Amino acid sequence: MEKQRKDGDVEAVPVVIGGMVLDIQATSSIPPHPRTTCPGQIYYVQGGVARNIAECMTKLGAQPFMISALGLDMPGNLLLEHWKSAGLRTEGIRKHKDIKTPTVCHILDVSGEVAAGVASVEAVEMFLTPKWIQQFKHTIRSAPLLMVDANLSPPAIEVSCRLAAESNVPVWFEPVSIAKSERIAPIVKYITFASPNEDELIAMANALSSQNLFCPIERNNCSTDTLFQMLKPAIWLLLEKGVKILVLTIGSDGVLLCTKGESISWRICLEKTQQHGFSRQLFENMTSSYPSNLYSDSKVLERSPNFLAVHFPALPASVVRLTGAGDCLVGGMIASLSTGLDVMQSVAIGIAAAKASVEVDSNVPSQFSLPTITGDARIVYSTAKLLQHQSKL
């Protein structure tokens, strides 16, 4: 099943493991009321955290290998046909008549935020098994980066991470939800990147502590600096437990990039990078226009342990819906890292991709504009703010 190069080695492509989901998105034209219907629009949208991330990566020129599971039913056929039409590989997607394709119904409010939802995604845990994943162990071990979403069962997450760790492949953990984010606890030692929002961060920190030490944050229109100070103890705990680079999304305020002793000029080793078409142009535009490592390593890595936090602002956007923003942020970052760009440059591109996603009515735009993405990334990169750098907390 695994694609071989002529020299017998497995092709080095980023691997994405997780759910492919049909999203039913209902957008109300007026503020919804309980116990009754209201006028609005209903859309069928290709979704799933891992699937969205992989599609975003593809639109940015990366060539991810997707490992997932689909049924031979209407939702499964829709998702598979869309996947094939995009020219994406299907050998890692398990297809079986007993699988009920994961489906999620979202009720969106007039601002595009999720007001309520119901998810039927049990098939991801039931059929995306450790045995299925292990069939692609050579692809995982050869990958420049592995992304796993927390829809996987704990044994499947553990097997995926262990296969990657055996070959020093960096692992990206995407928490998916508050409840499932707690699945980081047994595998935190394997994690290079984690991308929670504020609530998922608190849940992950509590799962990694001996007791529930952290409470949800009440923002009350506080500044980004104040928010960072409130979240810092939970951030630090995740870094102490093993996460190397934390990409914390803070809604309309953007992203906090936090590390402990890890260089913000971290990049994938050269021999595993890939540049094809759009991704090559993206790499060339970023490296020629924007300097690598906005904050010099000579300053950042003076001594260890080191704590570094950088705030990247969000970009103004004409919001249609917000359901794909976080996934496109991650997809944009992984696609950028896979070309050889560093973490700082990749966050900027991820935010630019997230902006593009909220301005369309699908989870992932049908295409990205290279001038727009690089132009927006330049704005983000140039306005990034160092919140904290110190050798000890």
Side-chain angles (χ1 to χ4, degrees):
M1 290 186 180
E2 295 179 309
K3 187 175 180 180
Q4 303 284 325
R5 290 175 170 173
K6 290 182 179 179
D7 60 7
D9 293 333
V10 175
E11 185 179 15
V13 294
V15 176
V16 176
I17 311 180
M20 300 180 74
V21 179
L22 182 66
D23 283 348
I24 303 172
Q25 297 183 353
T27 303
S28 174
S29 300
I30 61 174
H33 297 281
R35 296 181 296 279
T36 187
T37 60
C38 60
Q41 300 291 325
I42 296 175
Y43 302 90
Y44 292 99
V45 179
Q46 289 77 26
V49 170
R51 195 218 65 87
N52 291 344
I53 290 170
E55 183 181 357
C56 177
M57 292 169 62
T58 302
K59 299 287 177 61
L60 291 171
Q63 298 180 334
F65 185 90
M66 182 80 187
I67 301 177
S68 193
L70 289 176
L72 301 177
D73 48 16
M74 184 274 286
N77 290 333
L78 284 174
L79 289 165
L80 192 61
E81 285 306 311
H82 181 270
W83 197 251
K84 290 179 178 177
S85 68
L88 296 165
R89 296 163 61 183
T90 62
E91 60 262 44
I93 301 173
R94 185 178 185 184
K95 300 171 284 291
H96 196 277
K97 62 180 179 61
D98 292 336
I99 299 175
K100 182 179 179 182
T101 296
T103 305
V104 174
C105 180
H106 285 132
I107 308 297
L108 307 179
D109 62 24
V110 292
S111 66
E113 290 271 17
V114 175
V118 176
S120 174
V121 295
E122 297 82 4
V124 177
E125 292 195 30
M126 292 175 61
F127 293 95
L128 201 47
T129 61
K131 182 178 179 180
W132 177 258
I133 292 167
Q134 284 174 323
Q135 293 183 69
F136 307 100
K137 61 184 179 182
H138 298 299
T139 300
I140 293 171
R141 288 170 175 165
S142 300
L145 187 144
L146 168 69
M147 197 293 298
V148 294
D149 82 27
N151 282 313
L152 297 174
S153 68
I157 295 175
E158 196 279 332
V159 163
S160 303
C161 293
R162 181 167 44 79
L163 288 171
E166 288 170 356
S167 298
N168 295 316
V169 174
V171 176
W172 189 301
F173 179 81
E174 166 50 45
V176 175
S177 68
I178 294 173
K180 292 181 179 179
S181 68
E182 298 175 1
R183 294 180 180 182
I184 195 174
I187 48 88
V188 67
K189 63 182 179 182
Y190 298 120
I191 304 304
T192 306
F193 291 88
S195 45
N197 60 27
E198 298 163 50
D199 294 330
E200 291 162 349
L201 169 73
I202 297 301
M204 293 162 72
N206 281 328
L208 290 167
S209 64
S210 57
Q211 51 188 321
N212 289 338
L213 300 175
F214 305 95
C215 298
I217 299 298
E218 295 293 337
R219 282 214 197 187
N220 297 322
N221 297 316
C222 64
S223 67
T224 303
D225 291 60
T226 300
L227 177 64
F228 166 66
Q229 293 299 325
M230 291 190 291
L231 293 171
K232 188 167 66 173
I235 293 170
W236 181 250
L237 179 65
L238 263 67
L239 298 175
E240 282 275 84
K241 292 294 184 179
V243 175
K244 305 296 187 300
I245 300 172
L246 187 68
V247 182
L248 177 62
T249 59
I250 51 175
S252 60
D253 289 322
V255 170
L256 296 177
L257 175 68
C258 306
T259 73
K260 171 182 173 286
E262 190 73 32
S263 169
I264 52 174
S265 63
W266 183 97
R267 63 183 73 229
I268 289 170
C269 58
L270 183 62
E271 61 269 21
K272 285 191 173 184
T273 59
Q274 54 169 223
Q275 296 176 8
H276 308 281
F278 193 107
S279 66
R280 179 182 294 276
Q281 293 177 293
L282 192 65
F283 176 84
E284 291 174 350
N285 285 8
M286 289 298 293
T287 53
S288 64
S289 302
Y290 324 129
S292 176
N293 197 9
L294 190 61
Y295 306 107
S296 69
D297 277 353
S298 60
K299 175 181 179 182
V300 170
L301 297 181
E302 289 172 353
R303 51 192 177 274
S304 185
N306 179 72
F307 180 71
L308 175 73
V310 181
H311 174 233
F312 293 80
L315 291 161
S318 301
V319 176
V320 175
R321 62 184 64 192
L322 299 168
T323 52
D327 300 340
C328 283
L329 169 73
V330 175
M333 281 196 66
I334 297 176
S336 303
L337 291 167
S338 297
T339 71
L341 293 174
D342 69 21
V343 175
M344 292 282 290
Q345 295 165 327
S346 298
V347 174
I349 291 174
I351 291 175
K355 178 205 172 190
S357 77
V358 304
E359 295 184 327
V360 297
D361 59 7
S362 58
N363 289 327
V364 181
S366 59
Q367 63 181 6
F368 289 104
S369 162
L370 182 68
T372 301
I373 288 291
T374 52
D376 284 344
R378 180 178 184 177
I379 294 170
V380 174
Y381 192 81
S382 63
T383 54
K385 176 185 176 184
L386 184 65
L387 291 179
Q388 183 163 337
H389 166 234
Q390 61 185 60
S391 60
K392 293 182 180 179
L393 277 179

